[in-house]
Amino acid sequence: MSDTENIFGCFVSITEADPNASQEIRALASEQGDLFRTYIWGDKGISDTLKKLKHVKYGKDLRLALFQFYVNPIPIQEQNLKVIEDYRKREKSIGIPIIINDENFFCKSEEMRYSFLEQSILQKLDLLAEVVKKKKLDTNIEQLKMDFKKTWS
C-alpha cells in the first residue's frame, strides 16, 4: 500500500545547537535529534504503528494529519507554533505540532517516552475533533481515536 493512503504522517524538525556553543552542547543536540528519530522511524518507531490507519476508513475530508515534532525548538519558534494548524482544504490536511524537549521527553525512561508520545497524540486528536466539528468535515474522529488506541497497544 502507498504512503499516500495513511491518515497520519510524521515530520521531525531538530534545532541545531548554536555554532558558538561548546562542542559538548552541540554533540548533545545532535545526539538528542538522532535519538528522537529512532522513536519515530526506528525499529520500534511509532511511524509504523501510525501507517496502519488509512484515511479512506474515516471519511472524505481529511487525507493527512501530519504530526510535526519540534525537537528543542528555540523560544521564538516555540512561541509561534499553534496548538493545531488550520485545516488545508486543498490538500485535505492539517498540521499538528508537538514540542519535544528535555522536560517532557529526554529526561524520561523509554517507557515514559512512548507514553508521552501516545498521550500527546491523543490530546492532539481531541483538538483535531474540534476542528472537524467546527469545519463540518466528513471525518469520523471517534473511530480514528479508537483505532489508534487499538494499534498502539
Side-chain angles (χ1 to χ4, degrees):
M1 288 197 163
S2 163
D3 281 352
T4 59
E5 294 178 5
N6 304 334
I7 193 159
F8 293 130
C10 296
F11 165 83
V12 176
S13 172
I14 298 167
T15 302
E16 297 292 322
D18 186 300
N20 297 323
S22 69
Q23 178 60 34
E24 185 178 304
I25 290 174
R26 289 195 318 260
L28 177 62
S30 177
E31 182 182 311
Q32 286 181 336
D34 292 343
L35 175 65
F36 185 73
R37 283 185 193 100
T38 66
Y39 281 84
I40 304 301
W41 296 295
D43 291 339
K44 296 190 299 183
I46 67 169
S47 178
D48 287 340
T49 300
L50 297 174
K51 284 180 180 179
K52 295 175 183 173
L53 304 171
K54 307 300 179 190
H55 67 82
V56 295
K57 182 176 180 183
Y58 306 103
K60 294 178 262 172
D61 289 335
L62 184 65
R63 294 183 61 111
L64 177 65
L66 182 65
F67 292 109
Q68 302 165 326
F69 297 98
Y70 292 91
V71 179
N72 296 321
I74 58 175
I76 190 86
Q77 181 185 27
E78 189 171 342
Q79 291 170 0
N80 289 322
L81 291 175
K82 296 179 178 183
V83 290
I84 191 165
E85 293 183 354
D86 295 328
Y87 173 71
R88 295 177 194 96
K89 189 174 182 176
R90 180 178 291 167
E91 293 89 17
K92 295 184 176 186
S93 67
I94 192 163
I96 305 173
I98 298 175
I99 295 170
I100 304 296
N101 57 33
D102 285 329
E103 294 79 38
N104 66 18
F105 191 82
F106 294 111
C107 71
K108 310 268 189 218
S109 68
E110 181 174 338
E111 182 181 327
M112 292 301 295
R113 289 173 179 169
Y114 281 109
S115 178
F116 168 76
L117 291 172
E118 177 185 19
Q119 292 308 310
S120 296
I121 290 170
L122 285 170
Q123 289 171 355
K124 293 296 183 167
L125 289 178
D126 288 339
L127 294 173
L128 181 58
E130 293 174 21
V131 172
V132 165
K133 183 178 179 183
K134 182 179 171 186
K135 297 282 185 182
K136 298 180 176 140
L137 302 178
D138 170 33
T139 305
N140 188 341
I141 293 295
E142 290 309 312
Q143 184 65 51
L144 180 58
K145 282 174 61 175
M146 286 190 304
D147 290 350
F148 169 77
K149 288 176 187 177
K150 283 182 207 169
T151 59
W152 192 274
S153 48

